[in-house]
Amino acid sequence: EDVKVMRVKYGPYEKSPMHSHGWLAGVHLTDAKARFTPKSGKGEIRDIKAGDVGLGESEIHTVEIMTDIDWETILVEFKKEYPGDISELKRNATIVDPKHYSVEIENDRARIVRVKYGPNAKSVMHQHNPGVVIFLNSTKHKLINEDGSIVNADFKSGDVLWADAATHEGINLENKPIDIVFVFFFLFFFVPGTYSIASGTSFLCNLPLQMLKIVEYEPKNSLECVRSSSSGKCKKKIFFFWKKIFFFW
């Protein structure tokens, strides 16, 4: 319900009909050279390598493969907000274990984290928010949860799964590296309307869906400018009673 994961396959020199995508993350499983032509008609040729990742806005286009090899990619479309708790992590994997977890790319909707373990490598205890996991090679590994429970995992290259928020450490059980991509969400939507944010206080928001997370409050009147991620210009001003607010722009 929260995301749509698509496995896309094109044959040699194949061309798609005109089609549309919502906001998405792409994780490419094979090499490719393809022409992407939007509805406006001005095409762009992209050289794609296996393991490349990207985040993109909604668009309408055709795709034409320009080589004699098959192309396979995973697309993760963001359908709506994650209904669970999107919390600020105290043991964010990219901070407490940067040797194995690094931010590859992010925008106002999601963050892509690259995960690399060497042969028989072990991580420290760390946290993840919920998201989609894509395996770029086959792996056998063990996850030790914070409560001591153990999960043994065996995945093939190209496997995809949804993972809920977790606190654990990982162990590579094989004598070869692990290469994984996580697509994490850090957005929280407010629908236009009036919202109670603390006892006796509220704010009025007549904006389109905005990406923000209210974390902590106190009765303090403040005028805040909500800025567009694309233009950097002030879109609208709204009054908040706030102590701390996270904007994901």
Side-chain angles (χ1 to χ4, degrees):
E1 294 182 357
D2 311 303
V3 298
K4 178 170 70 175
V5 178
M6 297 173 288
R7 188 179 300 273
V8 180
K9 294 182 178 182
Y10 284 94
Y13 303 107
E14 187 174 354
K15 183 177 181 179
S16 76
M18 189 71 69
H19 61 278
S20 63
H21 296 291
W23 286 78
L24 57 75
V27 180
H28 305 296
L29 302 181
T30 60
D31 295 347
K33 185 175 184 179
R35 177 183 288 111
F36 293 77
T37 306
K39 199 173 181 179
S40 62
K42 187 176 181 180
E44 174 190 8
I45 295 176
R46 302 176 191 173
D47 284 303
I48 298 165
K49 301 299 181 185
D52 283 355
V53 301
L55 292 166
E57 298 184 2
S58 302
E59 68 173 328
I60 302 173
H61 63 199
T62 62
V63 178
E64 182 180 4
I65 304 302
M66 304 180 69
T67 65
D68 58 358
I69 59 174
D70 295 331
W71 179 41
E72 184 174 357
T73 190
I74 301 295
L75 300 181
V76 182
E77 284 194 358
F78 314 131
K79 296 175 65 177
K80 64 177 184 179
E81 76 276 15
Y82 179 67
D85 177 32
I86 309 297
S87 59
E88 186 181 11
L89 302 179
K90 294 181 179 179
R91 287 185 281 184
N92 188 314
T94 61
I95 296 175
V96 301
D97 194 2
K99 179 180 179 180
H100 299 115
Y101 297 85
S102 60
V103 177
E104 187 92 354
I105 187 174
E106 67 180 37
N107 65 10
D108 53 4
R109 301 239 171 172
R111 171 179 293 159
I112 294 181
V113 172
R114 179 83 62 175
V115 183
K116 287 183 175 289
Y117 280 62
N120 304 116
K122 179 180 179 180
S123 73
V124 300
M125 190 68 67
H126 59 273
Q127 292 175 290
H128 301 294
N129 271 328
V132 176
V133 185
I134 301 99
F135 294 86
L136 299 183
N137 61 356
S138 59
T139 172
K140 291 182 180 179
H141 62 274
K142 178 188 295 184
L143 299 175
I144 304 174
N145 295 316
E146 191 174 28
D147 63 4
S149 60
I150 295 175
V151 178
N152 288 302
D154 187 347
F155 292 98
K156 303 299 182 185
S157 178
D159 282 352
V160 181
L161 61 87
W162 170 265
D164 288 323
T167 302
H168 57 210
E169 60 184 35
I171 303 174
N172 182 3
L173 299 178
E174 297 192 285
N175 292 316
K176 62 179 184 178
I178 292 177
D179 195 356
I180 301 172
V181 170
F182 284 177
V183 180
F184 292 120
F185 306 92
F186 48 66
L187 58 95
F188 191 95
F189 290 114
F190 275 82
V191 176
T194 302
Y195 299 87
S196 293
I197 61 173
S199 177
T201 63
S202 65
F203 70 91
L204 179 66
C205 182
N206 292 314
L207 301 175
L209 291 178
Q210 299 297 325
M211 280 155 288
L212 51 84
K213 184 178 180 182
I214 305 290
V215 180
E216 205 174 330
Y217 317 102
E218 68 180 7
K220 180 179 179 182
N221 196 5
S222 175
L223 184 65
E224 183 64 38
C225 176
V226 179
R227 296 188 177 275
S228 166
S229 59
S230 56
S231 68
K233 296 180 180 179
C234 187
K235 296 166 69 176
K236 279 193 179 181
K237 290 184 177 180
I238 50 179
F239 281 94
F240 292 103
F241 296 90
W242 65 290
K243 181 177 180 182
K244 186 187 292 184
I245 183 167
F246 287 154
F247 285 88
F248 298 112
W249 294 106

